[in-house]
Amino acid sequence: MRAEALKGHLDGLLLAILEAGPTHGYAVIEALRASSAGTLDLPTGTVYPALHRLEDVGLITGTWSSGPGRQRRVYRLTAAGRRALTGHRATWLEFATAVNSVMNGGPAWSPS
Amino acid sequence: MEPELSSLGLERAAARVVGEYLDVLGSHLPVGRRARIGIRAEIADGLACAIEGRMVRGEPARSAAVAAVADLGDPRELALAFAGQLGPVTAHRLGVALVGSGPLVGLIWVAARSDGGSDWPARVGTVLAAVPLYPPILAVTVPAAVVAIAGAGWFARRRPLPRRLVTAAAVVAAIGCVAGDLSLLTAAVVSQPVGRPAPALVVLAAAASVVRLSAVSWAGRRIVRLRAAGC
């Protein structure tokens, strides 16, 4: 799926991946791919700047992992991030219900 | 091989491809040394993970590295994407620094004006009368700094502002701050009687202004570079 198709939803997806626990950038990309059975196979370069943006607004925090071997930046959800994820889920549910209704030729949709 | 690359534990052929990618990325990142090192290290780790994954599936090291960097995309575009994220944060930090340092520097200048007596409102009036440009400069700089602060953090979570607006506000705030400090310094020099040493508080206030305008000039130039990179 092209990155443009996810415009507006990427933040929610990244927060949802991080809800499972702290993880690093490449693992986020892999989890996104695995959770969607390969449908959400985004260009890797889309995800790293998005993670930095989420960190800048305080929805996630990033820390460098200590220990031997290469440096690794690990991201975790903040309390504000959890609240934002709840909002993203509600928005998505409303959007998906409306689109499904239209796509399936159902009755006119009205907001709940 | 650079320490950063040797710590990745990649075969030489793969490390060379990764190194070239990181060099192009680093050279196009309009950020400070610390941020550049951090971004390079994070991308290097991601590339190493991708290469290892491909090699486990049987790809040779070099083709795995070529595929991994291709998946990451053009390093110049990735640098631009990072710059786009860094602009509002840099603007936010500058805004916080200006709003935080403003009252302190202002207080030292007011304290340095002995001709206003012990009445502090009168001293403030004396400073503003000596530097008539200062009130209009403040009227522009403070709102611009507030807009810059709103570019990241708590405000941005609730009501994100356009990046170009935030960085433009930061540049305006930086120019205003430099103009304000220069006007204070000029007024102090002009009002200083020739042949008499300046009072210690005036020297302290001047030093505070010089430090602040130097730091703000440096930060302002960085934001201008980020804007030039498309932020």
Side-chain angles (χ1 to χ4, degrees), chain A residues 24-26 33 41-46 48-53 56-59 64 69-73 75 80 83, chain B residues 7-8 38-39 41-43 45-50 52 68 71-72 78 81-82 85-86 89 152-154 156-157 163:
Chain A
H24 60 98
Y26 190 74
R33 199 176 285 151
D41 191 8
L42 295 177
T44 324
T46 312
Y48 288 103
L51 286 170
H52 279 233
R53 177 165 41 78
D56 293 339
V57 296
L59 298 181
W64 290 102
R70 62 189 180 230
Q71 280 192 297
R72 172 161 288 175
R73 192 150 181 82
Y75 296 97
R83 287 194 297 275
Chain B
S7 70
L8 297 176
I39 290 171
E42 184 174 19
I43 295 300
D45 176 47
L47 282 172
C49 289
E52 285 161 4
D71 193 30
L72 201 48
L78 183 60
F82 273 114
Q85 308 305 334
L86 286 164
V89 184
W154 186 86
R157 283 207 298 275
R163 286 180 207 160

